[in-house]
Amino acid sequence: MATRFAPDVYAQRLARAAELTATAGYHAIVVGTGPDFRYLTGSDAETFERLTALVIPAQGPARVVTARLELASLRESAIGELGLQITDWVDGEDPYTLALDGFGPHAKLAVSDALPALHLIPLSQRTSAPIALATPVLRELRMIKDQAELEALRRAGAAIDRVHARMAEFLKPGRTEAQVAADIDAAIRAEGHNLAEFIIVGSGPNGADPHHEQSNRIIETNDIVVIDIGGPVSPGYNSDSTRTYCFTTPRPDIAKAYAILEQAQAAAVAAVRPGATAESIDAAARDVLNAAGLGDQFIHRTGHGIGLSVHEEPYIVAGNTDKLREGMAFSIEPGIYFAGDWGARIEDIVIVTADGCEPVNTRPHGLVVLPG
Ligand code: ZN
Ligand code: ZN
Ligand code: ZN
């Protein structure tokens, strides 16, 4: 599987970024390495103290400024295929002056939100105009996925579903969470991911901590176990899916609460369509849990956008009045947490379609009873 898309995909993204830069009234946006840089160039270069940046002017071709020692790896990316101009510098030269060359002393600039302060401050000293965040420009691009990106997210979803389908091989009473996680790690890679980005194995009381990762706790026959797993599939798009498991018929109170969680997750999925606000999807899940007296157990937002980053825009949270649009992709993952006792979460990634949504995860949503 290719590590990036065809060059014309990046050419289109760069052209669109330049249009949005012009519309926003900037002379240029400056994008540091990381997911935004990868989105626009296909390069997963990561630099820190030496500036590597993509400069997208409102008018004229985009260019890259980089330390000479990064040249070879950038030429291997879509940057080389597109024939983008690369300006290299050596230690002792001033990369900021090179980056802003041609924009004059009053250049209006915006920078990507992950550009380190150690680059932002010197850049800001080379123009008299205040520097803005390019986040509105870049999130506009990255939030709406094109067909190739949606296809990558579907592949990632199918890959993590295959790992969940194999859970009986790994998850057994008498094993520690860490032993289970090690096997899941291997399965995540075997089923087509580049790596396991995160593995949550929350058994019994650990399931009540949404950010628990794994421990040496030995899993018991009566435990409820939350498994939340994912990672990138080439060319870098992430999976993220949670299912909750057990080994015997659950306690009646657990079965009852879990059934309501399942309804809450389904209600949020059913509410997704273009024009609905992000916060209305959060409310759809929360209303079901509130009505059943479980609202206090749902202690986080309903979801997050996903793509080259595991967490990105749009966030499915109270207060986000952004309207959903076709081509957005995000998680729907309500959970209920009973401190010291048990927890459960159900998580699918969905893609907004013309009249609703398409879940990329298709494993059954019920509490999965594995052999004990
Ligand atoms: Zn989180
Ligand atoms: Zn997750
Ligand atoms: Zn998630």
Side-chain angles (χ1 to χ4, degrees):
M1 189 60 61
T3 55
R4 59 181 178 271
F5 299 123
D8 62 308
V9 170
Y10 299 100
Q12 282 166 20
R13 291 176 184 175
L14 287 167
R16 182 92 179 100
E19 267 172 47
L20 292 167
T21 299
T23 306
Y26 302 121
H27 290 101
I29 61 172
V30 178
V31 180
T33 55
D36 290 324
F37 191 87
R38 186 173 191 178
Y39 176 83
L40 292 161
T41 67
S43 164
D44 58 3
E46 290 284 354
T47 60
F48 189 67
E49 82 278 12
R50 289 190 175 93
L51 180 74
T52 291
L54 171 69
V55 180
I56 305 176
Q59 261 86 43
R63 61 176 193 264
V64 175
V65 173
T66 190
R68 187 159 300 163
L69 54 112
E70 301 290 339
L71 263 186
S73 79
L74 289 183
R75 287 203 173 111
E76 286 296 304
S77 74
I79 293 168
E81 295 172 324
L82 290 170
L84 289 192
Q85 185 200 321
I86 304 179
T87 307
D88 63 326
W89 57 277
V90 293
D91 291 341
E93 286 186 305
D94 178 18
Y96 309 103
T97 301
L98 291 174
L100 301 190
D101 186 39
F103 301 124
H106 313 296
K108 282 187 70 182
L109 302 172
V111 297
S112 59
D113 55 17
L115 188 76
L118 99 155
H119 299 312
L120 172 62
I121 300 296
L123 267 182
S124 72
Q125 289 162 343
R126 283 156 184 79
T127 173
S128 66
I131 293 188
L133 278 174
T135 314
V137 169
L138 294 170
R139 62 173 240 147
E140 187 58 29
L141 287 167
R142 285 183 53 192
M143 265 197 314
I144 312 294
K145 270 72 181 177
D146 63 26
Q147 287 310 319
E149 292 180 284
L150 296 177
E151 206 36 63
L153 284 168
R154 289 185 189 108
R155 280 203 313 275
I160 207 68
D161 280 3
R162 291 194 297 273
V163 179
H164 274 296
R166 292 178 55 189
M167 204 51 65
E169 294 174 43
F170 323 127
L171 181 55
K172 296 175 181 142
R175 307 194 76 202
T176 68
E177 292 176 353
Q179 287 170 332
V180 172
D183 287 350
I184 292 174
D185 187 306
I188 284 176
R189 284 177 282 114
E191 298 298 345
H193 294 81
N194 303 116
L195 57 97
E197 187 75 34
F198 54 92
I199 301 173
I200 293 176
V201 180
S203 66
N206 291 340
D209 170 8
H211 270 177
H212 174 78
E213 291 180 358
Q214 56 209 240
S215 74
N216 289 322
R217 183 180 182 277
I218 296 170
I219 296 164
E220 297 171 12
T221 307
N222 290 323
D223 283 351
I224 306 297
V225 187
V226 177
I227 305 282
D228 185 351
I229 49 180
V233 167
S234 286
Y237 287 76
N238 284 283
S239 65
D240 183 5
S241 177
T242 310
R243 290 294 184 267
T244 302
Y245 297 87
C246 62
F247 311 99
T248 56
T249 306
R251 277 181 356 224
D253 62 308
I254 292 178
K256 192 170 165 224
Y258 189 93
I260 292 158
L261 176 65
E262 205 178 330
Q263 287 169 28
Q265 204 266 350
V269 171
V272 176
R273 60 187 154 70
T277 60
E279 68 176 3
S280 74
I281 308 308
D282 181 79
R286 210 164 292 277
D287 287 350
V288 172
L289 292 165
N290 282 339
L294 290 170
D296 289 345
Q297 271 64 52
F298 181 22
I299 55 176
H300 53 73
R301 67 188 175 212
T302 292
H304 54 84
I306 191 165
L308 289 170
S309 305
V310 179
H311 290 177
E312 59 181 52
E313 307 264 6
Y315 291 99
I316 308 303
V317 61
N320 184 358
T321 56
D322 286 354
K323 290 197 163 80
L324 301 179
R325 283 179 277 164
E326 195 175 346
M328 286 181 172
F330 49 82
S331 71
I332 295 188
E333 51 176 308
I336 45 177
Y337 308 96
F338 297 84
D341 192 1
W342 68 288
R345 183 162 63 255
I346 305 170
E347 176 179 25
D348 292 327
I349 302 302
V350 302
I351 294 168
V352 183
T353 59
D355 56 1
C357 74
E358 168 200 339
V360 306
N361 302 108
T362 58
R363 298 290 304 157
H365 294 94
L367 198 49
V368 184
V369 187
L370 299 178

